[in-house]
Amino acid sequence: ANNQTGLVAAGALQARTPTFSQASGTYTGPLTVTVTSVSGGTIYYTTDGSTPTESSSSISNGGTVTISSSATLKAIASQTDNLDSAVMSVAYTIN
């Protein structure tokens, strides 16, 4: 979805906010986080605390992100003809 231009089809829905397989918390080693939203969409994410955009790293629905040091994982979902989702944010502490 390209909502940068402000031109979105009338009645467009917002893509579903991504969910993460691991909750915020402290973990003892590297984490593999599965990110889920909507099939056919693209999930854009960051691990530096910045807000993800369509130029951020991307994975498909059900893809994984490896967190090997303390990080804040943020993700949005993008789906054709829909508005980008709200941002999901989770903080992980790796000891």
Side-chain angles (χ1 to χ4, degrees):
N2 182 358
N3 54 8
Q4 309 300 322
T5 62
L7 299 175
V8 174
L13 300 173
Q14 190 172 37
R16 194 172 54 160
T17 303
T19 57
F20 301 143
S21 61
Q22 303 291 336
S24 288
T26 301
Y27 296 86
T28 55
L31 268 184
T32 299
V33 181
T34 302
V35 186
T36 308
S37 179
V38 287
S39 57
T42 302
I43 297 168
Y44 297 95
Y45 70 92
T46 62
T47 55
D48 62 2
S50 64
T51 300
T53 65
E54 292 185 4
S55 57
S56 301
S57 299
S58 66
I59 54 175
S60 56
N61 181 45
T64 60
V65 177
T66 300
I67 305 293
S68 52
S69 59
S70 297
T72 298
L73 175 62
K74 292 187 176 186
I76 60 170
S78 178
Q79 191 178 26
T80 305
D81 299 330
N82 285 343
L83 297 168
D84 288 351
S85 74
V87 176
M88 178 64 170
S89 178
V90 177
Y92 299 112
T93 302
I94 308 295
N95 285 339

